[in-house]
Amino acid sequence: MSSRVARTVAKRETIREVNQDAVFMTVIHVSLILLLLITIYPLYYVIIASVSDPNLVAIGKVIFLPKGISFEGYQKVFNNLDIWIGYRNTVFYTVVGTMINIAVTLSAAYSLAHKALIGRKPLSYMLLFAMYFSGGLIPTYLLIKNLGMLDTIWVMLIPGAASVYNVLVARTFMSSGTFVELEDAARIDGCSVIGTFLKIIIPLSTALIAVMTLFYGIGHWNSYFNAMIYLANRNLFPLQVFLREILVLSQMSDANTLTTEQVELLAVQARIAELVKYVIIIVATLPVMIIYPFLQKYFVRGVMLGSIKG
């Protein structure tokens, strides 16, 4: 009798736990769906606004569905020479700049990971200090000017050749016991330092390289401040600078100080800018959105491997 009661109680407890788990999972799923909708809606709104009448967008008529569908914005973007120049430059800065970033970061991290490096700790402290404190904009501008990089493509590539944070993460990753043991085995087999770096360290750092490529690539793709400060030649401007010009153009001047013709001209320009800016946002973000899914599987693994030592 007592065993039957015990089984009945255990069964009820099991059912209660299952019900609690079901309620908990339902709450989690609903929360995730709401979070997904909150995240997706701004992207969806940009898409529908890019094919809607800008006047309806401005007065808040476009919320869930496009209205006054028109592809005039895409036509203007694809017929705008500045957009293609900016797109070309941004792709170049992103590809070449990311390659430089990865090469410098991994080389510096591999050097700092060796305990035999003379001055290893002082160098690490210097890098850590430089990560939190900088000379400021004016000294940096004067330095770049004296180096002859002002208004050249190199000003978009060389000054930010490496992130100290990424160097320290990669150094921690390469200081793990597995890397040390493999490197010792390679040295015993007669492999040189460069050979060990290229044939052993790099292939084992695929996840970390993928994550850093994503970080550096997005940084280059979204960069516009350095171009505003150091570039005067419009043929070297990245896409984001032209996007900023269009966004600033959409903010009209005070109509009280302008003539009727000027007000009408600014109204037309503002309408065009309102129409085009959503299109440019899509054009500017689409490559990153396409590339990210291919690197996503390395993201968590690469960050965790680079943040845990031993």
Side-chain angles (χ1 to χ4, degrees):
M1 185 70 179
S2 60
S3 61
R4 183 181 300 176
V5 173
R7 287 196 299 269
T8 303
V9 172
K11 185 177 181 180
R12 290 178 178 177
E13 291 294 331
T14 303
I15 295 174
R16 185 181 305 166
E17 291 178 359
V18 170
N19 292 334
Q20 291 177 350
D21 291 341
V23 172
F24 177 75
M25 294 304 298
T26 301
V27 173
I28 292 297
H29 288 158
V30 172
S31 301
L32 290 177
I33 291 173
L34 292 176
L35 183 61
L36 177 64
L37 293 176
I38 294 173
T39 305
I40 292 296
Y41 178 74
L43 301 176
Y44 173 73
Y45 178 80
V46 170
I47 294 174
I48 63 176
S50 68
V51 295
S52 298
D53 186 341
N55 296 325
L56 297 178
V57 174
I59 61 177
K61 294 294 184 179
V62 178
I63 300 177
F64 296 108
L65 296 174
K67 295 183 179 180
I69 295 178
S70 172
F71 295 95
E72 182 182 357
Y74 288 92
Q75 293 175 355
K76 291 185 178 297
V77 167
F78 293 139
N79 292 331
N80 191 327
L81 183 60
D82 287 341
I83 298 300
W84 290 110
I85 292 175
Y87 213 99
R88 178 200 64 191
N89 293 336
T90 297
V91 171
F92 175 79
Y93 295 146
T94 300
V95 174
V96 178
T98 302
M99 292 173 62
I100 294 175
N101 293 143
I102 296 299
V104 174
T105 299
L106 294 181
S107 301
Y110 182 63
S111 301
L112 292 174
H114 282 270
K115 296 182 179 180
L117 177 66
I118 300 176
R120 174 172 170 264
K121 288 187 177 180
L123 286 174
S124 299
Y125 287 130
M126 288 175 61
L127 291 175
L128 191 63
F129 181 84
M131 184 172 66
Y132 292 104
F133 302 97
S134 64
L137 180 60
I138 295 177
T140 304
Y141 182 88
L142 295 176
L143 174 63
I144 290 176
K145 181 180 179 180
N146 293 332
L147 292 175
M149 291 192 296
L150 204 63
D151 205 21
T152 65
I153 61 174
W154 303 112
V155 77
M156 300 295 294
L157 304 174
I158 302 301
S163 166
V164 177
Y165 175 79
N166 288 337
V167 170
L168 296 179
V169 169
R171 182 204 64 179
T172 304
F173 176 62
M174 295 179 184
S175 299
S176 63
T178 303
F179 280 86
V180 174
E181 294 173 359
L182 290 174
E183 187 174 5
D184 291 341
R187 293 288 179 83
I188 293 175
D189 291 337
C191 189
S192 63
V193 176
I194 297 178
T196 302
F197 177 68
L198 296 177
K199 297 179 180 179
I200 296 178
I201 302 299
I202 297 298
L204 291 177
S205 305
T206 305
L208 188 65
I209 293 174
V211 173
M212 290 188 176
T213 299
L214 182 64
F215 285 162
Y216 282 127
I218 292 177
H220 283 290
W221 190 267
N222 294 329
S223 177
Y224 73 94
F225 185 75
N226 286 347
M228 291 175 52
I229 300 299
Y230 304 122
L231 294 180
N233 187 354
R234 293 181 64 85
N235 290 326
L236 300 179
F237 282 0
L239 178 63
Q240 304 301 334
V241 174
F242 293 114
L243 174 60
R244 178 184 176 275
E245 290 182 353
I246 293 175
L247 295 177
V248 171
L249 181 62
S250 64
Q251 300 176 357
M252 292 182 61
S253 302
D254 187 5
N256 295 326
T257 62
L258 301 175
T259 64
T260 304
E261 292 77 9
Q262 290 175 329
V263 171
E264 292 177 355
L265 178 60
L266 283 176
V268 173
Q269 292 177 343
R271 181 185 180 279
I272 296 174
E274 190 73 20
L275 182 66
V276 169
K277 69 179 182 181
Y278 293 107
V279 179
I280 295 183
I281 292 174
I282 295 175
V283 172
T285 57
L286 189 60
V288 177
M289 295 177 65
I290 293 175
I291 294 174
Y292 179 76
F294 296 99
L295 300 178
Q296 184 180 11
K297 62 181 180 180
Y298 298 106
F299 188 80
V300 175
R301 180 186 171 198
V303 172
M304 292 301 295
L305 289 175
S307 59
I308 299 176
K309 180 178 179 180

